[in-house]
Amino acid sequence: MESIVDREDGLNLKATELRLGLPGREESEKETMASFKNNKRASPESAVADGSKGDFDAGDGDRETAPVAKAQVVGWPPIRSYRKNNFQPKKAEGEAGMYVKVSMDGAPYLRKIDLKVYQCYPELLKALENMFKLTIGVYSEREGYKGSEYAPTYEDKDGDWMLVGDVPWEMFMSSCKRLRIMKGSEARGLGCGV
Amino acid sequence: MSHDPAEMSEDDERPPPADRGRAEYADQVLENVLENVLVFLTCRRDRNSVSLVCKSWCRAEALTRSELFIGNCYAVSPARATERFERVRSVALKGKPRFADFSLLPPDWGAHFAPWASAMAGAYPGLEKVYLKRMSVTDEDLAVLARSFPRFKELALVCCEGFGTSGLAVVANHCRQLRVLDLIESEVTDDEVDWISFFPDGGTSLESLIFDCVECPINFDALERLVARSSSLKKLRLNRYISIGQLYRLMIRAPQLTHLGTGSFSPSEIVQQGDQEPDYASAFAACRSLVCLSGFREIIPDYLPAIYPVCANLTSLNFSYANINAAQLRSVISRCHKLQILWVLDSICDEGLQAVAATCKDLRELRVFPIDAMENNEGPVSDVGFLAIAEGCRKLQSILYFCQQMTNAAVVAMSNNCPDLMVFRLCIIPRYRADRITGEPMDEGFGAIVKNCKKLTRLAVSGLLTDRAFSYFGQYGKLVQTLSVAFNGDSDMGLKYVLEGCSSLQKLEIRDSPFGDSALLSGLHHYYNMRFLWMSSCRVTRRGCREIARQMPGLVVEVFSWNNNAQDRGEENDIVETLYMYRSLARRVDAPKYVEIL
């Protein structure tokens, strides 16, 4: 919070300060850093609304340190997500979504998701977590999804089963045929380094 | 409704043994009389008062309560509730705290309907109505509902999740007396089951079918046949997969509708000039009882004139998905003289709000949602449109307004012009934003609202607010029951003012504000009067929360963070990420690993 000194003469210079970036940015960056320990990241809307895709490099930890101007606080403003999603750029006529089936070990039903809705791995993982009510955790190149008993995998064009996150996002988008959330020791086996 | 005399031995006022026979008979008569009277008591606050008079009144009230309302599903266990209230026909349950809507509650936190479903399956064979809000409901739970209650008539799922079209199919198929199936702002998984086809053949009793939140395609032919054989249907809200052409076909089969959600309100294919299109306006004109219109999910504004025939009778209009400009809004709103409820997008701009203020003199509720949720220096609506509403809509009772800029003067004006305000929710999107013109905090504006609006029960604040604003809330907000705070205040004093002053406070949700343990502990006298307190990203520590838990055993004090490691609980002086506490007669048995109950 702004110190009392800033406001002693009632001017609150800090709040009316002209600068680039969002007001209270330092606060929000601290918050976003603190909150996003695992795979929670700045709300996807920030990236989409900007219309730019600066954030979508290959799966590495830097994903979470979004450029300043795009850093947004989770859950702010208080609008339910389905309201926000409605005004994302509509798919052009004729442009189909990219639906892939998602199965989870132990679940009776298959699900389908549209990969085009997501811009990067954390968004996809978050959506999977919400869909199946589980925690997948953070991806690391060496250890896969350590700390979770689930691992998201996908079947690629060659028919091989790969760990989600191993390849750059664009490559994943173009090669992913279906997803499978593995559970238990099979998941750990896949996540192990070499 | 006569009593087993053995039951009455609990009664404190037992007469001496010699007179027991006559006294018990008198008691029995009294209880019968009482029950026959209490049956007419519907207000639950009255019922709660009645139940406190004495044990026999408590029993009589419990036996005659047919509508059970539980504002926090964790406040009482299903077993205890079903034991006390034996003859319930309608149940309303609320689960997750509201901030769950904004991703502030980690997934899988709880509010499972399952234990309630199974308890009620055994206890309430005559159950007819279930209303759930922010509960986690599975397909299996819906199956339990469908199987266990032969007289089941009404199901409303608001802001729920965890179920899919397969669960809906089971309800549609098994609940033969179904009158109401309302899915509102819920997340419904697409299991690719054609649930509309599962309604039984032959006439249905359907009066309300609301599925505008269901994000998957619908079998239109099956829907059309369903509407055709549901002669009692009054409320129909379609999802965005229904085109305007399909809407037309449904409307001509159901001119008796009073509430209509129009679906996409655009054609399914690109319409060429010269194409034959149905006379949409005539379909609307035929619906002479239509009073509530919503939908317009993917509106093409060219079709707006179709609704002109019904505007004069509309009392409720929801354009909150319609990206229309001021002129397009004006063409509609200028005909809506009876409008009481209006939801819009800020695409209509201040100018559009001026048009609303000019015509809708009877407006009670206004909600203005932002198209662009980013923090900006300017937005399409501001204090200008707000002031216009304040000056034109004097009967306003409830407002929700998102904007980028606001002034104290506009807010003060509304406080003076709209004395009937009960709900005031102003969201200035950029955090810590001051008065646009004076550069001052928004203290005086919000202060004026609590001071001048004598009926105010719900308040949500935003913008730059100092502790002074909170002193106003405590001083004047004596009727405030719900307060939402976000990125406001300077110090513990802010929260203290509220906890010490707002004597009617029941629900307090705070995020990202500098309130700590000292403030938290100043509310001990009041927490049992509240439904819940939520504080996230504030300054309360584990030590402070533990102290509350120690002093108030009737509260459940949940502390959690997004870090999922149960082993990693943190030190006593660590600031907790989220505190959620609520009064309760039960202990949670289903808390996930990341929730620590102190």
Side-chain angles (χ1 to χ4, degrees):
Chain A
M1 269 326 282
E2 292 84 352
S3 68
I4 305 294
V5 166
D6 283 343
R7 209 166 300 128
E8 245 165 30
D9 53 1
L11 282 182
N12 197 351
L13 297 169
K14 228 174 153 75
T16 53
E17 182 186 305
L18 285 179
R19 54 183 164 157
L20 299 173
L22 304 172
R25 178 173 58 77
E26 310 90 76
E27 289 283 320
S28 81
E29 278 214 310
K30 268 188 265 170
E31 277 137 17
T32 50
M33 288 314 123
S35 319
F36 303 144
K37 276 187 209 147
N38 297 329
N39 51 358
K40 210 158 81 63
R41 56 153 283 151
S43 36
E45 300 88 73
S46 59
V48 176
D50 268 4
S52 64
K53 295 188 177 214
D55 213 20
F56 313 118
D57 294 325
D60 57 77
D62 279 350
R63 220 175 289 122
E64 280 149 25
T65 56
V68 156
K70 296 203 195 77
Q72 265 211 319
V73 177
V74 172
W76 187 261
I79 304 171
R80 303 201 61 214
S81 54
Y82 68 83
R83 281 197 180 278
K84 285 179 179 169
N85 293 338
N86 270 292
F87 301 104
Q88 285 184 357
K90 270 174 64 161
K91 301 190 178 100
E93 285 271 283
E95 193 190 311
M98 204 187 130
Y99 283 90
V100 298
K101 289 188 183 170
V102 188
S103 62
M104 178 168 105
D105 293 356
Y109 291 108
L110 291 186
R111 304 279 216 246
K112 257 192 190 161
I113 58 172
D114 178 4
L115 287 183
K116 280 199 172 164
V117 167
Y118 311 104
Q119 318 277 11
C120 59
Y121 283 119
E123 288 182 18
L124 171 63
L125 292 174
K126 184 96 181 108
L128 290 176
E129 287 187 336
N130 280 339
M131 187 181 272
F132 291 100
K133 310 293 166 215
L134 46 74
T135 316
I136 293 177
V138 179
Y139 170 81
S140 86
E141 211 173 298
R142 186 134 41 107
E143 296 176 322
Y145 292 88
K146 177 186 154 153
S148 165
E149 46 180 334
Y150 298 99
T153 66
Y154 70 99
E155 186 181 1
D156 72 2
K157 278 196 291 229
D158 303 324
D160 296 324
W161 284 92
M162 313 277 287
L163 189 66
V164 168
D166 274 352
V167 302
W169 176 257
E170 270 73 29
M171 196 184 294
F172 165 74
M173 281 282 278
S174 61
S175 60
C176 173
K177 294 252 100 55
R178 55 182 293 163
L179 286 162
R180 174 180 161 204
I181 301 183
M182 284 189 188
K183 193 177 165 174
S185 55
E186 214 182 334
R188 281 195 286 283
L190 206 64
C192 248
V194 174
Chain B
M1 288 211 255
S2 60
H3 271 289
D4 176 359
E7 243 180 69
M8 299 204 280
S9 61
E10 289 173 354
D11 201 331
D12 281 340
E13 296 103 49
R14 285 202 73 188
D19 286 327
R20 193 178 306 178
R22 243 181 60 200
E24 278 185 356
Y25 174 71
D27 281 344
Q28 196 167 351
V29 169
L30 177 66
E31 288 210 16
N32 287 348
V33 168
L34 198 55
E35 284 176 32
N36 281 309
V37 168
L38 290 182
V39 157
F40 294 102
L41 208 59
T42 46
C43 166
R44 65 173 188 265
R45 287 213 165 78
D46 291 345
R47 281 191 160 271
N48 288 343
S49 304
V50 161
S51 69
L52 294 173
V53 170
C54 67
K55 272 194 180 160
S56 80
W57 278 55
C58 183
R59 252 197 328 269
E61 191 282 314
L63 284 170
T64 57
R65 190 183 294 215
S66 64
E67 290 171 11
L68 186 58
F69 171 84
I70 297 184
N72 174 3
C73 65
Y74 286 119
V76 64
S77 71
R80 187 170 175 144
T82 53
E83 267 159 34
R84 177 171 167 192
F85 300 105
E86 291 176 23
R87 298 181 193 165
V88 165
R89 286 202 298 276
S90 157
V91 170
L93 266 179
K94 291 183 168 185
K96 302 175 201 173
R98 196 180 72 99
F99 274 4
D101 292 355
F102 316 123
S103 311
L104 292 180
L105 192 68
D108 220 22
W109 172 80
H112 302 290
F113 180 53
W116 289 92
S118 67
M120 294 191 309
Y124 303 143
L127 191 68
E128 295 181 3
K129 302 187 197 179
V130 168
Y131 170 97
L132 303 177
K133 185 167 185 181
R134 290 197 191 92
M135 298 286 297
S136 196
V137 183
T138 64
D139 290 332
E140 180 50 41
D141 298 336
L142 293 178
V144 167
L145 275 185
R147 281 195 310 258
S148 315
F149 307 114
R151 298 214 280 274
F152 196 71
K153 295 188 172 62
E154 299 187 15
L155 178 63
L157 301 175
V158 180
C159 303
C160 296
E161 43 75 29
F163 63 99
T165 46
S166 29
L168 295 180
V170 176
V171 171
N173 193 242
H174 283 94
C175 301
R176 298 280 156 144
Q177 297 186 28
L178 199 65
R179 289 196 296 232
V180 170
L181 181 57
D182 289 352
L183 307 167
I184 297 172
E185 297 185 17
S186 291
E187 225 177 279
V188 181
T189 313
D190 182 4
D191 299 322
E192 297 178 8
V193 170
D194 176 11
W195 59 282
I196 289 284
S197 300
F198 277 76
F199 282 94
D201 297 327
T204 77
S205 333
L206 273 180
E207 295 172 16
S208 175
L209 180 61
I210 294 179
F211 62 93
D212 48 359
C213 63
V214 177
E215 288 290 310
C216 47
I218 293 281
N219 177 342
F220 178 73
D221 290 333
L223 176 64
E224 192 177 15
R225 287 193 300 271
L226 178 64
V227 169
R229 66 183 192 274
S230 303
S231 53
S232 305
L233 196 65
K234 290 284 196 294
K235 301 186 186 181
L236 179 63
R237 299 212 320 226
L238 308 166
N239 71 8
R240 62 180 180 86
Y241 288 85
I242 303 293
S243 70
I244 193 171
Q246 291 171 329
L247 170 68
Y248 175 83
R249 283 164 61 179
L250 295 174
M251 287 180 73
I252 58 177
R253 292 188 180 283
Q256 76 281 5
L257 288 175
T258 58
H259 293 59
L260 175 65
T262 63
S264 68
F265 212 69
S266 59
S268 51
E269 293 119 10
I270 300 178
V271 175
Q272 307 288 3
Q273 252 191 345
D275 270 0
Q276 263 299 68
E277 278 198 279
D279 183 358
Y280 299 118
S282 72
F284 277 92
C287 292
R288 312 175 83 80
S289 312
L290 208 55
V291 292
C292 173
L293 207 50
S294 62
F296 310 104
R297 296 294 198 131
E298 289 163 7
I299 189 175
I300 291 187
D302 304 47
Y303 291 99
L304 267 179
I307 72 171
Y308 290 169
V310 297
C311 288
N313 283 330
L314 278 186
T315 54
S316 172
L317 178 57
N318 182 349
F319 267 159
S320 66
Y321 293 97
N323 190 345
I324 58 177
N325 62 31
Q328 289 157 348
L329 176 76
R330 190 183 301 114
S331 73
V332 170
I333 215 81
S334 55
R335 299 157 194 263
C336 299
H337 297 271
K338 288 193 190 166
L339 206 61
Q340 295 184 9
I341 299 175
L342 177 64
W343 292 21
V344 285
L345 278 179
D346 64 3
S347 59
I348 63 167
C349 300
D350 285 329
E351 205 188 321
L353 291 171
Q354 286 163 342
V356 172
T359 316
C360 305
K361 297 305 181 188
D362 226 8
L363 200 66
R364 310 291 159 112
E365 176 178 325
L366 175 67
R367 297 194 192 194
V368 179
F369 295 94
I371 283 199
D372 177 4
M374 297 277 286
E375 297 183 339
N376 283 315
N377 276 324
E378 274 182 349
V381 299
S382 67
D383 49 280
V384 171
F386 191 88
L387 186 61
I389 294 291
E391 289 171 348
C393 305
R394 304 290 178 118
K395 297 192 191 170
L396 205 60
Q397 293 173 4
S398 168
I399 185 163
L400 170 62
Y401 196 88
F402 286 85
C403 56
Q404 300 284 343
Q405 296 283 7
M406 186 49 61
T407 63
N408 282 301
V411 180
V412 170
M414 183 166 283
S415 78
N416 286 320
N417 290 2
C418 304
D420 292 337
L421 270 178
M422 298 196 306
V423 173
F424 186 83
R425 300 158 69 191
L426 173 60
C427 181
I428 303 168
I429 295 175
R431 293 154 290 151
Y432 313 115
R433 178 145 294 176
D435 182 312
R436 171 174 74 84
I437 293 177
T438 68
E440 283 176 2
M442 293 299 300
D443 297 346
E444 297 309 312
F446 283 101
I449 291 288
V450 278
K451 185 170 173 194
N452 299 335
C453 301
K454 312 273 194 245
K455 303 181 188 176
L456 196 74
T457 54
R458 181 170 177 185
L459 179 66
V461 301
S462 60
L464 182 67
L465 292 180
T466 71
D467 287 344
R468 180 190 291 270
F470 292 87
S471 75
Y472 292 148
F473 302 159
Q475 189 179 355
Y476 299 110
K478 297 305 179 189
L479 295 183
V480 172
Q481 294 173 13
T482 307
L483 178 63
S484 298
V485 176
F487 304 97
N488 308 115
D490 297 324
S491 73
D492 280 357
M493 281 315 298
L495 181 53
K496 282 187 185 174
Y497 287 134
V498 165
L499 290 172
E500 286 164 5
C502 298
S503 40
S504 305
L505 198 60
Q506 290 175 19
K507 301 186 247 184
L508 181 56
E509 43 190 33
I510 305 174
R511 63 167 297 183
D512 294 276
S513 298
F515 307 136
D517 293 342
S518 159
L520 184 65
L521 290 162
S522 69
L524 288 171
H525 66 286
H526 190 64
Y527 291 140
Y528 281 152
N529 296 333
M530 292 176 62
R531 188 179 294 173
F532 72 80
L533 168 66
W534 167 291
M535 291 180 72
S536 59
S537 304
C538 296
R539 302 221 176 126
V540 293
T541 68
R542 182 172 261 94
R543 183 190 303 281
C545 297
R546 204 181 286 287
E547 183 58 22
I548 299 280
R550 196 184 66 79
Q551 293 204 34
M552 308 195 76
L555 294 183
V556 170
V557 179
E558 293 190 19
V559 159
F560 49 90
S561 71
W562 288 76
N563 180 337
N564 289 317
N565 292 332
Q567 314 89 289
D568 215 351
R569 283 305 186 201
E571 303 293 312
E572 283 307 284
N573 285 331
D574 283 356
I575 289 182
V576 307
E577 210 160 307
T578 304
L579 160 68
Y580 178 53
M581 64 191 215
Y582 46 90
R583 67 182 168 201
S584 176
L585 297 171
R587 296 283 118 188
R588 271 194 77 172
V589 295
D590 64 352
K593 284 194 304 241
Y594 59 79
V595 169
E596 189 187 345
I597 298 184
L598 296 177

